[in-house]
Every structure is written in C-alpha cells, then in structure tokens.
Amino acid sequence: MALQGNLRDFSAMEILQLVGSQRKSGCLVMEWNTERFLVWVVDGRIVSTRQPGLAKDDPLARFLQRVHRLSDEQFRGLLGIQKESGRDLEDLLVKGRYLEADELAPIVERQILDDLARLVRWENGTYRFDPASKWPNEPVVSLSMESGLMEAARRSDEQKRFHSVFKDPYQLLGVRDLPDPDEELSEEERELFGIIDGQHTVAEIVDAAPLIEFEAYESLHRMLEAQWIEFVGRRDPGRSSSPTPIAPPIVRTHRSPAWARELGVGVAVLAAVALVRLAASWVPDARPPRLETDVYAAAEVRDLEHAITLFERERGALPKRLLGG
C-alpha cells in the first residue's frame, strides 16, 4: 500500500514519525500550493532535504548565503561548475575549498533542522513516499528522526516566545554591557555585537545577522537575558532606514586571503605544467593535459588569473616566483 495522502488527515509531523518508526528508506515528497519539500531518509534517519545536484533555489546554497558563508558571485560560479561536471553541491563545496570537510556536516544539519522547523508548521498539502527514490550520494549527516522532530517542536515553541519579546520590529537595540572575556560566544554572536549600536532596529539586526532567523532571535534573546543588550528606543516606521546603514555582509572564511591562497596554488599549477611540458619535449608522443576536460582545473586557472591581477594591483609588480626570480 502506497504511503500518500492529504496533510489535513495526518500532520507533517505524524507522517515523518511514521517514516522514522518504520525505518523506511526513500524520499518523502510534500507539496502545498507552489511549495515542494523533500525529505530523504535511510533506515528512518534523515540524510537530506534537498534535490541532488544544484538548483537555483537549493536549500543548502540558500542557507549558506543567509549565514554569510557563500556570496552571490560564488554561487553563480558553482552553478556553472555544476552544470559542466554534474556533481552535487556538497561535493563541490569541499572539493572547491568553499568549506572545510569538517565544517560541512554541522552546516548541513543546521540547514535540515531549519527546513524541518518550517515543514512541521504546514497544515495543508499532500504527501507521498517513494521507496524507490534513493539519496544517490554518501550521506554527510544521518539525523535521528526523533531528535530532529523534537528540535523542530522546540523551535516552534521558542519562536512564539521570541515573538512576544521582540514583538515590535522597530525597537532599537543597544549594547548595555560587554560579556566577560571568558564567556563563550560563537563567531556569529561576536559579529552581532558589531551590528547592535543603538541605531538599528530588531528587524534590521536579524536581517543582517550571519544566522538564520531563528538562530538570530535565539542569540538576541540570550544576550537580552544576560543583560548584555537592551532596548534603547524605537524608530518611527515611516522613517525609511537607519542614518548609518549596516555594511554589506562579508563572506566569512577560515582560510587565508583568496588571492594569496590562489596564488600559492597557481605557482604549484604552473610548476606542474612546466614539468609536464618539459617531459613532453623528451617524449615525442606525449601531450600536456587539456584543462577544458577538467572543470576544477579550468576554475583554478581562472582563479589564478584573478589572483595575479590582484597581486600586481596591490604590489605594483608580478610575483618574483612567477618571473623566475
């Protein structure tokens, strides 16, 4: 008997609980008006909530952009590479050094939990489970259905509390007292302190935060309860914006500056190409590899050209290692 029906008869949470308790493997598809939601499971555990590959509305890519880990330009580049290679976004992020391998799993789990928290609020729509549709890649995460749904329910309850505390989006937030030096703060929370200056509203701060909406409200609520921040006034809704606009977000990275990293890779690439060409001069039938057959190599060359241009602009000369000096 096929598992399909209407969400008016069974809630999204009940359907997910059933899939988890029966340790099913496959893809649960839920649709409501123009929205479509996927939950891929292996033995009843969630491994993804996105379509394999890379679509323009990919949930993971959208999540990374929201938390300032992927720029619009980088996303456009990934779309081009994926179109040529057919690889999945998760693979592209690690192989292309957009994320370290140990960063990917926590980010994917955060993205899945954010999706689940929205899905369990659905009151209408249809569902169908396809056991023949399998997640084609090695799972990055394997999230317990029970813990995922418990966290989704917790977020739903907490969201109501946050809305009661931050009910007026036009209230201004300012710093009251800085936390103790030994207080554990995430990198994102530290960045929040740079936005909270008494001139920006709750809505502006949440929108500019390097966090999804729930995480931003959760951090602000913690700061408010710890008396690190406070409400300092209210801006008239008729006033268009703050006198000091929030600076555009900077995509955070734990790696060295892009041009320096790419230049280092570029030097190695050029050295390797030189050796190949030297070997080719000794072997009559040898041919250097064609970069157009490897989308990653082609991307490296484009990045190298950009890095060399930046280096020359900043230093006034080309790197000595490239000039043979």
Side-chain angles (χ1 to χ4, degrees):
M1 179 178 173
L3 180 59
Q4 60 183 11
N6 198 295
L7 291 178
R8 287 193 301 269
D9 302 323
F10 298 96
S11 70
M13 184 170 286
E14 289 173 330
I15 299 302
L16 288 165
Q17 285 174 334
L18 179 62
V19 169
S21 65
Q22 294 188 359
R23 299 176 58 85
K24 289 184 175 292
S25 296
C27 182
L28 179 64
V29 182
M30 296 190 178
E31 296 176 300
W32 185 15
N33 295 329
T34 59
E35 292 189 77
R36 189 169 186 265
F37 202 98
L38 306 177
V39 182
W40 299 84
V41 291
V42 175
D43 294 329
R45 300 178 69 90
I46 304 171
V47 297
S48 183
T49 55
R50 43 179 293 272
Q51 186 70 29
L54 177 56
K56 290 184 178 180
D57 59 349
D58 187 285
L60 178 56
R62 188 170 60 239
F63 181 91
L64 289 168
Q65 289 175 297
R66 179 67 180 87
V67 299
H68 305 174
R69 295 305 306 270
L70 189 71
S71 69
D72 293 343
E73 183 179 0
Q74 288 173 327
F75 178 56
R76 288 192 293 270
L78 283 169
L79 283 172
I81 295 175
Q82 197 280 331
K83 186 177 180 180
E84 294 180 45
S85 67
R87 293 176 179 267
D88 184 66
L89 173 61
E90 294 172 358
D91 184 48
L92 292 173
L93 289 170
V94 175
K95 296 289 180 60
R97 305 193 315 274
Y98 296 91
L99 293 174
E100 301 298 335
D102 59 353
E103 292 181 293
L104 182 59
I107 285 177
V108 170
E109 184 168 318
R110 286 169 62 196
Q111 174 255 313
I112 289 175
L113 289 173
D114 185 48
D115 284 348
L116 284 180
R118 289 184 289 106
L119 177 61
V120 297
R121 294 199 296 266
W122 281 22
E123 297 179 352
N124 290 296
T126 60
Y127 66 88
R128 57 183 172 83
F129 184 77
D130 182 3
S133 187
K134 308 293 186 183
W135 180 249
N137 310 313
E138 184 68 26
V140 173
V141 299
S142 179
L143 182 63
S144 160
M145 184 70 75
E146 182 181 5
S147 62
L149 292 178
M150 286 178 62
E151 175 61 16
R154 183 192 74 84
R155 293 189 179 199
S156 180
D157 292 339
E158 289 289 283
Q159 196 82 44
K160 296 173 185 175
R161 186 155 64 101
F162 298 156
H163 285 167
S164 68
V165 175
F166 302 100
K167 55 182 175 293
D168 185 352
Y170 296 101
Q171 284 183 298
L172 301 171
L173 283 173
V175 175
R176 177 177 180 176
D177 190 18
L178 292 176
D180 294 333
D182 57 349
E183 183 72 36
E184 284 193 19
L185 292 176
S186 68
E187 186 176 344
E188 292 84 359
E189 287 177 327
R190 294 182 186 278
E191 191 171 328
L192 269 181
F193 272 109
I195 304 173
I196 301 170
D197 58 2
Q199 299 188 59
H200 295 104
T201 66
V202 171
E204 289 172 337
I205 293 168
V206 169
D207 185 59
L211 299 160
I212 57 173
E213 182 180 287
F214 173 82
E215 293 173 340
Y217 276 116
E218 188 174 46
S219 293
L220 289 177
H221 189 264
R222 183 168 93 90
M223 293 176 177
L224 197 64
E225 286 196 324
Q227 298 186 351
W228 298 334
I229 63 175
E230 61 184 352
F231 296 112
V232 296
R234 185 178 188 275
R235 185 190 303 153
D236 183 351
R239 196 167 148 195
S240 59
S241 62
S242 167
T244 55
I246 297 176
I250 298 175
V251 175
R252 292 180 294 109
T253 174
H254 298 298
R255 300 183 297 273
S256 57
W259 66 265
R261 186 179 71 255
E262 291 161 1
L263 194 57
V265 172
V267 170
V269 170
L270 288 182
V273 171
L275 287 174
V276 170
R277 293 190 183 281
L278 182 60
S281 67
W282 293 339
V283 183
D285 294 333
R287 293 290 185 273
R290 298 181 62 192
L291 290 180
E292 61 267 25
T293 63
D294 189 330
V295 294
Y296 284 109
E300 290 284 5
V301 170
R302 289 194 297 269
D303 290 344
L304 172 60
E305 292 173 348
H306 179 62
I308 291 174
T309 301
L310 288 177
F311 186 97
E312 185 178 16
R313 187 183 304 162
E314 292 187 14
R315 303 296 181 88
L318 292 172
K320 291 182 179 180
R321 289 176 66 185
L322 292 182
L323 295 173

